[in-house]
């Protein structure tokens, strides 16, 4: 009883999902970097997701992988599955006993699908949003999910949402494939909460800042020193000179706030980090 989208851009693979069901992110998304993504929903059988990924890992195309998996399920007509392999082959399956409205749209590198929806406009809106949204795969997935909600979404209401995007070596400090992995398990406005958390995730963990959005340390030294002093990381009177003590205080603060992923090795600070520091100091 869910609407979701599975997709790839040829590098990233991912799933975004929302439902009037607790912790939908625990059951629907199945993703493996360089292999593919699967959504298993409507009386979901998560074992099918694992099986489909295993088949795609062996080189089986998404369509054949789904068909082989559902052939083994005696309750296949109660299942709904969307799958895309890392090569961009996409396939959707909606069982004949999935509660209305149930259906899917298959496009280039994606499947939008859902059941117990307000109507076919939900998956159609998701497909259109995915195709027109600019940015990375995660931006397109979130835009599609938001469009599905605006078009009526799950006709029973809202409860949970999730987005998972994997990229080979694209996660924290390059040590994981997890590019984005956010779950909102129970919330009156799960889509809004998902977007709020994503903004924090992006600031903290993603290295996709606009290269033009930087400030020179020498130009903001006094302001940064004052901010760090208010926050307890800089102990001297501000001098307006970015020295070793200022650099250490800035790095200590960044580490405390889990921004080590955003520390640069030159004479600049990311604008997003600089603005966060100033705003945080004003709230202190």
């Amino acid at each position: 009883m869910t609407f979701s989208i599975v997709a790839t851009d040829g590098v990233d693979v991912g799933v975004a999902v929302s439902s009037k069901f607790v912790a939908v992110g625990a059951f629907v998304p199945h993703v493996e970097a360089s292999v593919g993504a699967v959504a298993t929903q409507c009386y979901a059988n998560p074992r099918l997701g694992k099986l489909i990924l295993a088949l795609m890992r062996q080189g089986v195309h998404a369509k054949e992988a789904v068909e082989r998996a559902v052939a083994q399920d005696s309750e296949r007509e109660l299942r709904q599955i969307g799958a895309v392999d890392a090569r961009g082959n996409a396939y959707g399956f909606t069982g004949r006993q999935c509660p209305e409205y149930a259906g899917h749209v298959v496009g280039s590198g994606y499947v939008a699908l859902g059941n117990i929806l307000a109507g076919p406009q939900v998956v159609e809106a998701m497909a259109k949003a995915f195709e027109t949204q600019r940015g990375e795969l995660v931006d397109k997935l979130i835009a599609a999910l938001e469009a599905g909600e605006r078009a009526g979404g799950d006709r029973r209401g809202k409860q949970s949402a999730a987005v998972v995007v994997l990229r080979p070596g694209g996660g924290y400090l390059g040590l994981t494939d997890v590019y984005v992995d956010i779950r909102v398990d129970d919330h009156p406005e799960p889509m809004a909460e998902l977007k709020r958390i994503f903004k924090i995730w992006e600031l903290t963990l993603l290295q996709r800042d606009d290269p033009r959005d930087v400030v020179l340390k020498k130009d903001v030294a006094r302001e940064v020193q004052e901010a760090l002093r208010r926050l307890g990381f800089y102990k001297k009177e501000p001098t307006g000179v970015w020295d070793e003590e200022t650099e250490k205080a800035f790095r200590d603060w960044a580490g405390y706030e889990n921004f080590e992923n955003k520390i640069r090795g030159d004479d600049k600070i990311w604008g997003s980090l600089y603005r966060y520091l100033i705003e945080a100091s004003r709230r202190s």
Side-chain angles (χ1 to χ4, degrees):
M1 298 69 172
T2 300
F3 59 100
S4 66
I5 181 164
V6 299
T8 183
D9 60 7
V11 178
D12 294 354
V13 291
V15 178
V17 58
S18 185
S19 181
K20 178 63 173 71
F21 188 90
V22 66
V24 69
F27 308 104
V28 170
H30 306 267
V31 190
E32 185 173 336
S34 302
V35 174
V38 184
T40 59
Q41 56 198 50
C42 190
Y43 303 101
N45 181 351
R47 294 176 180 174
L48 296 179
K50 295 183 171 113
L51 176 55
I52 293 165
L53 280 179
L55 290 167
M56 292 196 296
R57 195 182 307 123
Q58 297 168 18
V60 178
H61 284 209
K63 181 177 186 296
E64 183 182 352
V66 173
E67 290 176 340
R68 286 169 59 175
V70 299
Q72 302 179 32
D73 188 348
S74 61
E75 296 186 301
R76 67 183 70 89
E77 299 303 336
L78 289 170
R79 316 299 187 200
Q80 187 175 46
I81 299 171
V84 60
D85 59 49
R87 291 164 290 184
N89 302 298
Y91 184 70
F93 172 84
T94 299
R96 288 174 292 183
Q97 295 178 38
C98 290
E100 292 289 340
Y101 172 80
H104 59 268
V105 173
V106 179
S108 178
Y110 74 88
V111 185
L113 61 158
N115 59 91
I116 311 190
L117 301 181
Q121 71 273 14
V122 177
V123 288
E124 291 165 0
M126 293 171 70
K128 182 177 180 181
F130 181 83
E131 292 179 356
T132 57
Q133 175 68 36
R134 295 184 178 181
E136 297 182 336
L137 185 69
V138 63
D139 302 301
K140 296 165 78 68
L141 290 174
I142 291 174
L145 204 62
E146 191 171 25
E149 182 177 284
R150 285 197 304 267
D154 185 327
R155 59 183 169 85
R156 301 168 305 158
K158 312 169 187 177
Q159 187 169 4
S160 65
V163 59
V164 182
V165 176
L166 301 189
R167 174 183 298 180
Y172 179 69
L173 298 177
L175 302 175
T176 173
D177 297 333
V178 179
Y179 190 61
V180 176
D181 187 357
I182 299 170
R183 277 176 45 181
V184 178
D185 286 348
D186 184 35
H187 197 279
E189 293 294 337
M191 191 67 238
E193 180 67 0
L194 183 76
K195 291 179 67 179
R196 184 190 71 81
I197 297 172
F198 175 67
K199 287 182 179 179
I200 299 170
W201 184 290
E202 180 180 33
L203 174 64
T204 307
L205 298 171
L206 302 190
Q207 294 181 317
R208 61 177 200 162
D209 296 74
D210 184 338
R212 298 167 296 181
D213 185 17
V214 294
V215 293
L216 291 172
K217 291 175 179 177
K218 66 181 181 64
D219 291 343
V220 296
R222 182 176 294 276
E223 192 176 12
V224 167
Q225 288 167 343
E226 290 171 349
L228 291 171
R229 191 166 186 260
R230 284 194 293 270
L231 293 169
F233 289 89
Y234 186 76
K235 306 301 182 183
K236 296 167 51 179
E237 288 293 326
T239 64
V241 176
W242 193 287
D243 53 15
E244 289 184 6
E245 191 167 352
T246 307
E247 179 72 18
K248 182 180 184 304
F250 179 73
R251 286 176 176 266
D252 286 347
W253 167 80
Y256 181 84
E257 293 289 347
N258 302 310
F259 291 135
E260 59 268 22
N261 208 43
K262 289 294 185 74
I263 294 294
R264 298 173 60 106
D266 58 12
D267 61 346
K268 301 178 182 67
I269 304 172
W270 288 116
S272 58
L273 202 57
Y274 163 72
R275 291 187 294 272
Y276 185 93
L277 168 62
I278 301 306
E279 291 170 9
S281 71
R282 289 171 179 167
R283 294 193 302 266
S284 66

